[in-house]
Amino acid sequence: MKSLTLRNLHKTYFDPAVGTRVTAIQDVSLEIGPGEFVAVVGPAGCGKSTILNMVAGFLPATRGDIIVGDRPVKGPGRDRGVVFQNFALLPWKTVIDNVGFGLKMRGIAKPERDRIAMEFLELAGLSHAAERYPNELSGGMQQRAGVVRALANEPDVLLMDEPFASVDAQTRMTLQEELMRIWGERRHTVLFITHDVGEAVFLADRVVVLSKGHVLREIPITIPRPRG
Amino acid sequence: MSHSAAPIEMGQGPGAARHLRQAATFVAPLVVLFLCWPLLVSAFGVDARVFPGVKAVFAAAVESVSDGSLLAHVAASLGRVAAGTLLAVVVAVPLGVAMGVNAGVSAFLTPLFRFFSVLAGIAWIPIATLWFGYGFGAITFVIFNAVFFIVAYNTLLGVTAIPMRLRHAAASLGASRLAMVTEVLLPGALPNIVTGIRTGLGFAWRGLIAAEMIATNVGLGYMLFVARDFYRTEVIVLGMIVIGILWLLIDRLILAPLERATIERWGVVQRA
Ligand SMILES: Nc1ncnc2c1ncn2[C@@H]1O[C@H](COP(=O)(O)OP(=O)(O)O)[C@@H](O)[C@H]1O
Ligand SMILES: [Mg+2]
């Protein structure tokens, strides 16, 4: 696992409604150690997704540095696995082909990537749904697939943008527990975005409170795991 | 790929019965029209040079089938449509994808493609004959244009409608630019592409018949046009029936099911 460093990050958007540039992220610095689980919390519109999208390489930073291990981020890459709020599974691919997609991009042959993808599907309790299409699955199952799709590609850092916000409360608790189980075994470096303080405290080693584009405070969570 | 039956799919039985019912609903009015035709012709004592009776058309059908002329016309027309369409799709789809990935380019070209889509085949005939003379070139050009602009426009539309998060997901999983095209943009745009082909082919078919009336010496359009010179109304009506039935067969048995299958399979619901 590698560390993730954000240094003096700024982001301004051009807002066509106002006709001026608006500041979304203001001087955010953050150091996430290898294998550390950091949650960023804050109300809607405070800039959480903007940070994650810059780290993922989907959005250029206006100013500042993003470094994974010792390499600066330039665009999207497989060193950073992303889990999306709305799953973002490819609807024309079966679950197993979605999970094996990163492996396919690396040129791994079909039998081998099916074998690996199947291991990850078992990890998520999804092996029975391997040949189904995403729109045939519940939201919870789709997000399980979304999580293991990112994991199967062996990223150094896992980026999750409110991954459990679009499933029901019951499923959310199960998914949080499953995530803890998997993370406990593999210890990825995780940047986890949520607006739910309870979720942040349950999951993270450290909670970063974001407000209007800047870091308000950082709170280490020392409650021993498993937490309940 | 083989799939176990998904629970949301309907069983074979009810599906087949439903299709049969739909087909019957579609064919019944045509049958009624066909039955009324001889009654009307005899009731009003219509002259054969104005409109033929059923027997005459049937005789013309038998004659043109047995001497092979009908088959020659049909083969010529279908061959031209296939060639022009294939050519148009092969050029339009890559172009549409290339344009779709660039927001500026797509914004600039969208109105142009819409404009040329409206010209839909027939309007190209005069300039086609000026540029290519009478023959294969002019006709292929008309079909090509009928299909090309609509398919390019639909491909463009399909690519721009793919949610950005799907492209992001693929990119963060390591997709190269080529893989982005083959794994995300093409499959994502496929329902639109198929719809474009279906619409474009409809215009191409009409444009073809019109073009064949002036620009060639074989084909269904030509068959109609020549028959007119000899007051062979039974051949004209036979040709019209063949033109209509051929298109309905192509559309209902090939294009519509293809369109439905891609839309269902590709799970457009996912895009909402
Ligand atoms: N593409 C954009 N163009 C202009 N403003 C944007 C854009 N994306 C986000 N913003 C603005 O930036 C701020 C932060 O947005 P976002 O990062 O999505 O917040 P969060 O994820 O915390 O809800 C909001 O005020 C939002 O309106
Ligand atoms: Mg957000």
Side-chain angles (χ1 to χ4, degrees):
Chain A
M1 296 308 136
K2 291 189 176 156
S3 62
L4 170 63
T5 308
L6 318 188
R7 211 178 286 146
N8 308 111
L9 211 52
H10 287 260
K11 180 70 192 178
T12 57
Y13 287 110
F14 180 76
D15 188 341
V18 192
T20 57
R21 307 190 68 83
V22 292
T23 300
I25 294 299
Q26 212 172 0
D27 199 25
V28 166
S29 295
L30 193 60
E31 177 82 42
I32 305 180
E36 192 183 8
F37 195 126
V38 168
V40 174
V41 288
C46 73
K48 303 184 296 295
S49 293
T50 301
I51 291 179
L52 186 128
N53 286 333
M54 289 192 289
V55 174
F58 303 151
L59 199 65
T62 306
R63 224 163 351 115
D65 302 303
I66 301 167
I67 297 147
V68 175
D70 51 11
R71 295 230 324 264
V73 162
K74 296 189 202 74
R78 45 164 290 236
D79 55 334
R80 285 146 292 140
V82 184
V83 181
F84 298 80
Q85 177 174 350
N86 295 310
F87 326 132
L89 299 171
L90 300 174
W92 47 85
K93 284 185 182 291
T94 57
V95 168
I96 192 166
D97 286 345
N98 265 286
V99 173
F101 186 80
L103 305 166
K104 184 177 185 183
M105 295 301 101
R106 277 195 259 163
I108 296 172
K110 176 86 174 147
E112 176 67 357
R113 64 175 192 261
D114 277 357
R115 191 187 59 73
I116 298 173
M118 207 60 195
E119 275 177 22
F120 279 92
L121 286 174
E122 273 159 23
L123 187 69
L126 270 182
S127 37
H128 64 287
E131 297 299 330
R132 302 246 210 110
Y133 285 88
N135 64 352
E136 300 168 12
L137 305 186
S138 69
M141 287 165 83
Q142 289 190 53
Q143 195 55 304
R144 283 190 179 90
V147 171
V148 290
R149 176 177 69 172
L151 291 177
N153 207 27
E154 297 177 320
D156 296 318
V157 178
L158 198 56
L159 308 173
M160 309 178 84
D161 189 357
E162 308 208 27
F164 308 144
S166 35
V167 300
D168 63 82
Q170 192 68 43
T171 309
R172 187 175 316 138
M173 279 177 60
T174 321
L175 287 174
Q176 288 164 354
E177 276 159 20
E178 283 177 18
L179 178 63
M180 279 296 92
R181 173 173 58 82
I182 293 170
W183 180 77
E185 288 168 14
R186 295 168 182 261
R187 295 281 165 168
H188 285 90
T189 308
V190 181
L191 173 62
F192 189 101
I193 303 278
T194 178
H195 63 260
D196 179 346
V197 179
E199 180 171 70
V201 171
F202 176 69
L203 295 172
D205 296 319
R206 186 149 49 100
V207 174
V208 174
V209 182
L210 200 67
S211 170
K212 293 176 186 153
H214 66 268
V215 175
L216 213 57
R217 52 192 298 210
E218 293 191 29
I219 306 158
I221 308 295
T222 50
I223 308 167
R225 300 173 194 275
R227 300 167 184 166
Chain B
M1 276 198 294
S2 78
H3 304 284
S4 52
I8 55 162
E9 275 171 33
M10 286 190 196
Q12 198 71 20
R18 191 169 45 104
H19 281 132
L20 215 62
R21 218 169 29 247
Q22 279 174 350
T25 331
F26 187 84
V27 172
L30 297 175
V31 171
V32 171
L33 180 68
F34 188 79
L35 293 176
C36 290
W37 168 16
L39 299 178
L40 289 172
V41 167
S42 65
F44 293 96
V46 180
D47 181 51
R49 286 166 61 150
V50 176
F51 203 85
V54 177
K55 280 208 195 78
V57 173
F58 188 74
V62 171
E63 187 196 330
S64 60
V65 168
S66 56
D67 71 9
S69 61
L70 183 63
L71 188 68
H73 291 308
V74 167
S77 292
L78 288 181
R80 286 167 184 148
V81 151
T85 301
L86 198 70
L87 205 61
V89 170
V90 165
V91 182
V93 169
L95 200 71
V97 170
M99 294 178 334
V101 291
N102 186 309
V105 175
S106 86
F108 181 79
L109 286 173
T110 302
L112 295 180
F113 276 51
R114 281 200 74 157
F115 176 79
F116 284 109
S117 296
V118 174
L119 296 182
I122 297 174
W124 290 98
I125 293 173
I127 203 126
T129 53
L130 272 184
W131 289 356
F132 296 95
Y134 294 89
F136 184 78
I139 294 175
T140 310
F141 181 74
V142 167
I143 296 167
F144 181 91
N145 283 356
V147 177
F148 172 79
F149 289 107
I150 293 176
V151 171
Y153 174 65
N154 271 271
T155 307
L156 178 70
L157 218 60
V159 168
T160 43
I162 296 170
M164 196 44 97
R165 64 174 187 278
L166 294 187
R167 285 160 69 168
H168 282 159
S172 71
L173 289 165
S176 62
R177 297 183 107 198
L178 178 65
M180 189 63 79
V181 171
T182 57
E183 301 279 346
V184 181
L185 303 181
L186 276 181
L190 195 64
N192 285 74
I193 294 172
V194 173
T195 301
I197 292 174
R198 187 181 175 199
T199 316
L201 256 177
F203 287 120
W205 186 244
R206 298 166 179 85
L208 168 81
I209 303 300
E212 282 177 343
M213 290 188 182
I214 37 178
T216 181
N217 52 16
V218 64
L220 288 165
Y222 172 79
M223 172 180 156
L224 294 191
F225 205 64
V226 167
R228 175 195 164 277
D229 283 349
F230 297 94
Y231 295 100
R232 298 280 306 270
T233 54
E234 75 282 11
V235 175
I236 295 178
V237 169
L238 172 68
M240 290 168 71
I241 292 173
V242 171
I243 288 166
I245 286 181
L246 269 182
W247 173 251
L248 284 179
L249 289 180
I250 293 171
D251 190 58
R252 296 272 138 183
L253 296 186
I254 303 172
L255 300 176
L258 193 66
E259 187 181 19
R260 211 166 29 242
T262 52
I263 288 174
E264 273 168 18
R265 159 64 87 76
W266 264 228
V268 178
V269 281
Q270 184 77 6
R271 291 193 176 170

